[in-house]
Amino acid sequence: TEPVNHTLMFGKPLSYTLMFFSPDFNYNTDGYEGDTAEDRKSQDGSETMPFIDESPTMSPHLCARGQDGEAISPTPAEGLLSGGDTEKGLEMRKLVLSGFLASEEIYINQLEALLLPMKPLKATATTSKPVLTVEQIETIFFMIQDIFVIHKEFYDALSPNIQQWDEKITVGHLFQKLASQLGVYKAFVDNYKVAVGTVEKCSQANSQFQKISENLKVKGPKESKDCTTTSTMEGKSVSDLLKHTPKDHPDFPLLQDALRISQNFLSIINEEIDPRRTAVTTPKGEARQLVKDGFLVEVSEGTRKLRHVFLFTDLLLCAKMKKTAVGRHQQYECKWYIPLADLSFQTLDDSDSLPHIQTLPEHEIEEMKIKISTIKSEIQKEKKAQKSQSRNVDRLRKKMNEQESCLLLYSPTIPFRIHNKHGKSCLFLLSSDYERSEWRESIQKLQKKDLQACVLSSVELQVLTGSCFKLRTVHNIPVTSNKDDEESPGLYGFLHVIVHKATGFKESANLYCTLEVDSFGYFVSKAITRVFRDTTEPQWNEEFEIELEGSQCLRILCYEKCYDKSKLNKDDNEIVDKIMGKGQVQLDPQAVQSKNWHMDVIEMNGIKVEFSMKFTTRDLSLKRTPSKKQSGVFGVKISVVTKRERSKVPYIVRQCIEEVEKRGIDEVGIYRISGVATDIQALKAAFDANTKDILMMLSDMDINAIAGTLKLYFRELPEPLLTDRLYPAFMEGTALSDPAAKENCMMHLLRSLPDPNLITFLSLLEHLKRVAEKEPVNKMSLHNLATVFGPTLLRPSESEINKANVTMASDIWSHDVMAQVQVLLYYLQHPPISFAELKKNTLYFSTDV
């Protein structure tokens, strides 16, 4: 069979409309005029969209073609519009518009023919013998329906005006509207190569579709009955209409605007073909380019709203995605804009009071994360099952998208205030100081230029908002469900980072670094170095162990510590320390998964920060390695340690708890923020050696290192505190729905623990409750603490993991984590549990579990 010319099938919708706006762009049935088939091939051999000349045509000629293809004698436009020739000029307007209408009619018929097989193809897609899948149909016919609707509406509005022609009739608004909808064609162009490839692939694989695709060839003007009109129209454009429109006619400014919008659009298309060409213009002819865009959470009347924010060279625009009917292209709605000349960054000193911000309890945020991980695991299992149950996967993806979107909305807490000197202030919430700094720096850089305040008319604002759809660089909210399956799922496990030193400071300062990693689509601060005072070359040499949850990037921020109390403010989440520099590095799984340390340098604003890192997978960290020295405490059975010490609770647990309650209970993020790994290792060695000056070490040590030492002790026990034997029963017990049955079961399980395990667990439980009482200060709720300690005190043995046949690192992370957290949370929320009371009731219950 002859190969189908798919360019005809998919190139037509874009090229036809573009000829309205650019007279130098012609499309015929053999392809793009002036290009051979070889010219239209890219270097990789695939079909590409043509380069389009968007320069405005100043020639006064019509350049129309007659039936024989010869150029018609040109008529000077000036002559048409001077003196008595005005009537002739208006008559030419009618002729040009009549030509548009005739071409539109043919074009709409062609689009209808193209859409004809779409419905039956969709109907068969859900049957047992589909010709094409739903996904293939959506790819092949992408945006064709939208293009059809746009042109049908244009035709229906233009037609009555031509039939009842009058010199006062205005049509400029119709062309302006058509031009403002060019964003649809950008989406069409972006999908073009994929659509053509899909057609070719499906034609080769399915003879039934091959026959359909052969019939889908769009008839070009040469094959059409009304060849003369359409061929003549190929040389005409909006600029032709503009030439025959008097300057004092109401249509003149509207057609000028339509031409300008189209030139901007063509410039964007060409920018992708030739990056040297950029020209997005304002009505004044100045360049307005998109500098940065992204999704931010805005606080509006105390409610969190997800917005898409666009930073242009002269203004900041905040938009939201409009709700559109199925099959219609997406559009943005402008919420507000601020000219950069009027924009300043508001500090709390300037604001009278903080708005009430809608928040979710921390435990609900953590529950969302665990649900997301569980759904990810379910999706992986569905895919491995290979039952082609795509509906189940789609359902799970939708469920995950809902959870991730909600998490993205409610997790940010760092305020970013923007003030309009002629209007109200706006408040955004960000999850990362790095991100806030990026936005602020981008705006301040633009403000260094000589900017003038601008006021956009409603039409200009509509056009600018319309352009956002095609200009945007961030297309989806940063959630996993929007990623392709081929994209890296990120790293799950522990990243060990040593921050060595920094150089390049011009003046002495009090300096420290923070480390951020991405997790669930946003960045979170995970560790902080100590402050190195009054120096230009801080040498921290501090090691941190950072837990990764699907992370792909490590960020390092270098700050100058602010000790001026007058600058400190009432907002707990405000960071007043000055960022001296910031940088990031991608976490390449191949590079970081070696056992050796990987040295790296991040350069930031002339500052260099040296650091090393290595990665440990979570499945390796689950393996418990008993200590070779039975005299130590780490990695030694808890019963052996308590017997040797003649104590009910190990000395290390008692001392760490005492020190945290003495001076760490008010520390923000206690038990969540990583301690310096070298300090933790020093404490571990001291406890193992039973050093005499251990109490002195504890009193001098950073409190996060002491909290980290306690977590490490429980993590390195040869078996978890709540034992391997009882693990399955704890999992079953927490799943019980009847409160009385659950109470009996959970208390019975505690009674079944060996005495040293039980007493130590009850001691830790009461300590964590005391920490949570200070939640308003330390931000650590019961759920937060359960999330930190649950998987440490209670985790599946290696045999349980093997039995579950869990292979992916992300599955290991999510495997039973929700249940582990829920077990500890149950006991934390329970009224005080007494060892004596538990043992008193032992007589009434069997000890078999």
Side-chain angles (χ1 to χ4, degrees):
T1 345
E2 284 288 317
V4 179
N5 184 347
H6 300 293
T7 310
L8 291 181
M9 185 175 175
F10 297 103
K12 198 72 174 177
L14 173 72
S15 57
Y16 183 88
T17 299
L18 294 186
M19 79 181 189
F20 268 25
F21 299 108
S22 177
D24 299 302
F25 176 75
N26 292 307
Y27 179 97
N28 62 28
T29 51
D30 303 318
Y32 300 96
E33 196 166 310
D35 292 343
T36 63
E38 281 70 28
D39 292 332
R40 296 197 312 276
K41 294 279 180 182
S42 63
Q43 288 180 351
D44 61 359
S46 58
E47 301 254 17
T48 59
M49 294 306 294
F51 185 87
I52 304 157
D53 186 353
E54 76 275 11
S55 57
T57 303
M58 302 311 293
S59 164
H61 307 318
L62 277 178
C63 300
R65 300 174 192 276
Q67 291 184 42
D68 56 358
E70 292 295 316
I72 296 172
S73 301
T75 308
E78 294 88 347
L80 289 171
L81 300 179
S82 60
D85 287 334
T86 305
E87 284 183 26
K88 193 174 179 182
L90 291 169
E91 187 59 33
M92 284 302 297
R93 265 171 58 81
K94 185 184 176 183
L95 284 174
V96 172
L97 288 169
S98 299
F100 275 146
L101 201 64
S103 296
E104 278 289 281
E105 191 172 350
I106 293 166
Y107 183 50
I108 289 165
N109 289 337
Q110 291 171 345
L111 286 172
E112 273 187 313
L114 196 60
L115 288 167
L116 202 60
M118 188 172 73
K119 281 187 180 178
L121 282 171
K122 276 187 175 179
T124 63
T126 52
T127 64
S128 57
K129 291 184 179 179
V131 177
L132 299 178
T133 65
V134 173
E135 191 179 351
Q136 286 168 338
I137 294 165
E138 286 175 355
T139 302
I140 290 169
F141 293 94
F142 185 67
M143 287 295 168
I144 306 290
Q145 178 69 40
D146 296 65
I147 293 167
F148 171 75
V149 170
I150 288 168
H151 282 274
K152 186 74 170 68
E153 286 176 357
F154 176 76
Y155 177 85
D156 290 345
L158 184 62
S159 182
N161 287 314
I162 307 299
Q163 288 165 10
Q164 300 167 5
W165 181 250
D166 182 302
E167 63 179 42
K168 294 177 183 176
I169 279 177
T170 57
V171 292
H173 61 287
L174 300 178
F175 286 92
Q176 192 183 45
K177 184 183 177 184
L178 185 63
S180 69
Q181 292 172 313
L182 282 170
V184 179
Y185 297 92
K186 175 68 171 71
F188 178 88
V189 170
D190 292 342
N191 183 66
Y192 177 77
K193 283 168 73 174
V194 181
V196 171
T198 306
V199 171
E200 287 172 354
K201 201 184 293 179
C202 295
S203 293
Q204 289 165 11
N206 189 311
S207 58
Q208 202 175 345
F209 178 68
Q210 188 177 34
K211 287 175 185 173
I212 295 169
S213 65
E214 283 173 9
N215 294 328
L216 281 180
K217 284 187 185 180
V218 177
K219 287 186 178 180
K222 290 177 186 175
E223 296 166 273
S224 171
K225 289 177 186 176
D226 194 356
C227 170
T228 312
T229 313
T230 312
S231 297
T232 304
M233 276 314 300
E234 285 194 1
K236 295 184 180 178
S237 65
V238 170
S239 61
D240 291 329
L241 190 58
L242 198 57
K243 287 173 206 166
H244 301 291
T245 302
K247 287 192 176 181
D248 58 355
H249 193 285
D251 270 351
F252 193 84
L254 298 174
L255 291 170
Q256 267 191 325
D257 198 41
L259 192 59
R260 182 180 62 80
I261 296 165
S262 65
Q263 286 162 6
N264 283 342
F265 171 72
L266 297 177
S267 172
I268 293 156
I269 298 286
N270 287 335
E271 168 64 8
E272 294 180 359
I273 300 163
D274 181 356
R276 292 168 299 174
R277 298 173 65 101
T278 53
V280 180
T281 57
T282 66
K284 296 177 184 176
E286 300 159 348
R288 175 181 286 141
Q289 294 172 322
L290 180 67
V291 177
K292 180 178 173 64
D293 70 301
F295 289 93
L296 298 180
V297 173
E298 184 189 17
V299 177
S300 176
E301 297 177 355
T303 306
R304 292 170 182 252
K305 304 282 186 184
L306 193 63
R307 305 293 194 212
H308 200 150
V309 181
F310 297 86
L311 174 62
F312 290 94
T313 39
D314 62 338
L315 59 86
L316 186 75
L317 186 143
C318 177
K320 76 164 193 174
M321 190 67 82
K322 274 185 183 178
K323 286 183 180 176
T324 52
V326 179
R328 297 300 301 272
H329 69 280
Q330 290 182 308
Q331 288 181 321
Y332 284 106
E333 175 190 328
C334 175
K335 299 307 292 180
W336 51 260
Y337 74 93
I338 302 175
L340 297 189
D342 297 336
L343 187 149
S344 63
F345 298 105
Q346 186 187 20
T347 62
L348 272 174
D349 299 333
D350 304 325
S351 65
D352 298 323
S353 61
L354 283 168
H356 170 73
I357 298 170
Q358 186 184 13
T359 55
L360 275 185
E362 191 68 35
H363 70 89
E364 287 189 31
I365 299 278
E366 292 302 323
E367 277 173 8
M368 277 184 215
K369 291 181 184 178
I370 292 163
K371 279 179 188 171
I372 290 164
S373 298
T374 307
I375 296 167
K376 277 184 192 173
S377 182
E378 286 176 29
I379 289 171
Q380 291 302 327
K381 284 174 189 169
E382 283 286 339
K383 285 181 180 174
K384 281 175 198 166
Q386 292 181 338
K387 293 174 185 172
S388 68
Q389 293 287 330
S390 59
R391 284 185 188 175
N392 282 348
V393 173
D394 290 344
R395 179 182 56 80
L396 289 168
R397 278 189 187 278
K398 187 179 176 185
K399 199 172 167 186
M400 186 165 75
N401 188 282
E402 287 169 4
Q403 291 291 332
E404 288 188 310
S405 300
C406 196
L407 183 63
L408 210 64
L409 191 63
Y410 285 97
S411 53
T413 56
I414 297 172
F416 178 44
R417 295 177 185 79
I418 286 168
H419 181 62
N420 181 357
K421 68 181 181 186
H422 297 304
K424 64 173 188 175
S425 301
C426 305
L427 172 63
F428 292 107
L429 295 176
L430 283 70
S431 61
S432 150
D433 201 27
Y434 190 104
E435 189 183 4
R436 182 173 68 167
S437 173
E438 277 190 326
W439 277 99
R440 185 176 280 158
E441 285 170 14
S442 297
I443 292 169
Q444 286 172 336
K445 188 177 177 182
L446 293 168
Q447 286 179 324
K448 286 177 183 174
K449 298 172 185 174
D450 184 25
L451 294 172
Q452 291 183 342
C454 59
V455 179
L456 301 182
S457 69
S458 58
V459 173
E460 287 170 339
L461 185 58
Q462 185 184 351
V463 170
L464 183 63
T465 309
S467 74
C468 289
F469 186 83
K470 55 184 180 277
L471 290 174
R472 61 189 178 158
T473 59
V474 182
H475 289 75
N476 296 308
I477 59 172
V479 294
T480 319
S481 43
N482 283 334
K483 289 183 180 177
D484 295 333
D485 291 342
E486 289 74 31
E487 286 187 60
S488 166
L491 295 171
Y492 289 81
F494 294 92
L495 185 70
H496 302 265
V497 181
I498 301 174
V499 183
H500 297 293
K501 62 177 182 178
T503 55
F505 296 97
K506 292 173 183 172
E507 295 176 7
S508 292
N510 304 313
L511 303 163
Y512 71 95
C513 285
T514 64
L515 307 180
E516 294 181 354
V517 293
D518 56 316
S519 163
F520 298 93
Y522 61 95
F523 280 81
V524 181
S525 184
K526 285 283 191 174
I528 181 168
T529 67
R530 67 181 184 276
V531 178
F532 219 92
R533 292 190 176 232
D534 197 25
T535 181
T536 55
E537 290 193 7
Q539 299 203 12
W540 295 287
N541 292 315
E542 292 181 292
E543 184 185 337
F544 300 93
E545 183 185 78
I546 297 171
E547 189 170 7
L548 303 182
E549 299 163 348
S551 308
Q552 294 178 312
C553 188
L554 168 70
R555 287 174 171 177
I556 298 182
L557 295 94
C558 191
Y559 290 90
E560 180 183 359
K561 183 71 179 172
C562 172
Y563 288 108
D564 183 351
K565 288 187 179 178
S566 65
K567 289 185 180 177
L568 300 177
N569 52 59
K570 55 195 173 184
D571 187 345
D572 293 336
N573 295 312
E574 186 72 83
I575 298 164
V576 294
D577 297 341
K578 181 184 174 186
I579 294 180
M580 303 299 285
K582 65 186 191 312
Q584 60 185 5
V585 61
Q586 290 299 120
L587 297 175
D588 177 13
Q590 306 304 320
V592 296
Q593 287 197 21
S594 65
K595 291 180 181 177
N596 303 322
W597 286 94
H598 169 68
M599 183 93 172
D600 211 336
V601 175
I602 286 182
E603 293 194 36
M604 41 176 93
N605 299 350
I607 300 162
K608 289 183 180 179
V609 176
E610 291 183 19
F611 65 100
S612 299
M613 58 183 176
K614 69 175 181 178
F615 174 72
T616 311
T617 57
R618 186 168 276 278
D619 51 333
L620 285 174
S621 68
L622 283 170
K623 293 178 182 175
R624 295 171 182 264
T625 49
S627 170
K628 291 173 185 174
K629 292 193 310 172
Q630 284 301 303
S631 57
V633 292
F634 280 82
V636 179
K637 284 185 177 179
I638 197 166
S639 55
V640 173
V641 172
T642 50
K643 190 175 180 181
R644 187 202 309 140
E645 292 177 355
R646 295 181 183 176
S647 62
K648 292 180 178 179
V649 176
Y651 178 69
I652 182 174
V653 176
R654 284 181 282 130
Q655 288 308 126
C656 288
I657 285 175
E658 188 179 316
E659 200 63 36
V660 168
E661 291 192 2
K662 191 190 294 180
R663 59 190 179 90
I665 207 154
D666 291 337
E667 186 79 13
V668 174
I670 188 70
Y671 288 119
R672 180 177 58 80
I673 297 287
S674 302
V676 178
T678 43
D679 290 347
I680 294 170
Q681 291 304 317
L683 280 172
K684 176 184 174 181
F687 276 112
D688 269 342
N690 198 18
T691 313
K692 288 180 181 178
D693 58 355
I694 188 83
L695 292 177
M696 185 68 75
M697 276 184 76
L698 283 169
S699 61
D700 290 343
M701 198 66 78
D702 173 62
I703 200 64
N704 287 319
I706 293 167
T709 304
L710 182 62
K711 288 190 292 180
L712 184 68
Y713 169 73
F714 285 120
R715 200 161 80 217
E716 290 197 357
L717 283 173
E719 79 165 343
L721 188 66
L722 299 185
T723 72
D724 287 335
R725 182 177 71 91
L726 294 177
Y727 179 79
F730 274 113
M731 293 297 97
E732 289 169 17
T734 194
L736 292 172
S737 53
D738 179 72
K742 189 171 187 176
E743 165 83 8
N744 284 337
C745 177
M746 298 301 271
M747 291 304 117
H748 173 51
L749 287 169
L750 285 187
R751 281 189 287 272
S752 306
L753 286 168
D755 282 2
N757 296 56
L758 175 56
I759 298 169
T760 302
F761 178 68
L762 294 177
S763 175
L764 178 65
L765 213 54
E766 292 311 306
H767 164 63
L768 295 179
K769 286 182 181 180
R770 288 191 287 273
V771 171
E773 284 171 8
K774 294 279 189 172
E775 184 192 350
V777 181
N778 62 31
K779 311 293 183 192
M780 293 301 287
S781 62
L782 287 175
H783 196 283
N784 267 348
L785 293 162
T787 303
V788 170
F789 277 94
T792 301
L793 304 177
L794 187 80
R795 33 170 116 173
S797 62
E798 283 185 51
S799 60
E800 283 288 325
I801 292 172
N802 294 335
K803 201 190 300 176
N805 194 26
V806 179
T807 52
M808 281 193 66
S810 54
D811 291 344
I812 292 169
W813 186 82
S814 61
H815 183 68
D816 287 349
V817 167
M818 187 185 286
Q820 293 158 15
V821 171
Q822 290 303 320
V823 168
L824 182 54
L825 189 61
Y826 178 84
Y827 292 122
L828 284 170
Q829 291 173 338
H830 197 279
I833 302 166
S834 153
F835 176 78
E837 284 295 317
L838 276 173
K839 287 297 172 182
K840 195 189 292 181
N841 293 330
T842 305
L843 300 171
Y844 303 106
F845 295 93
S846 161
T847 53
D848 294 331
V849 177

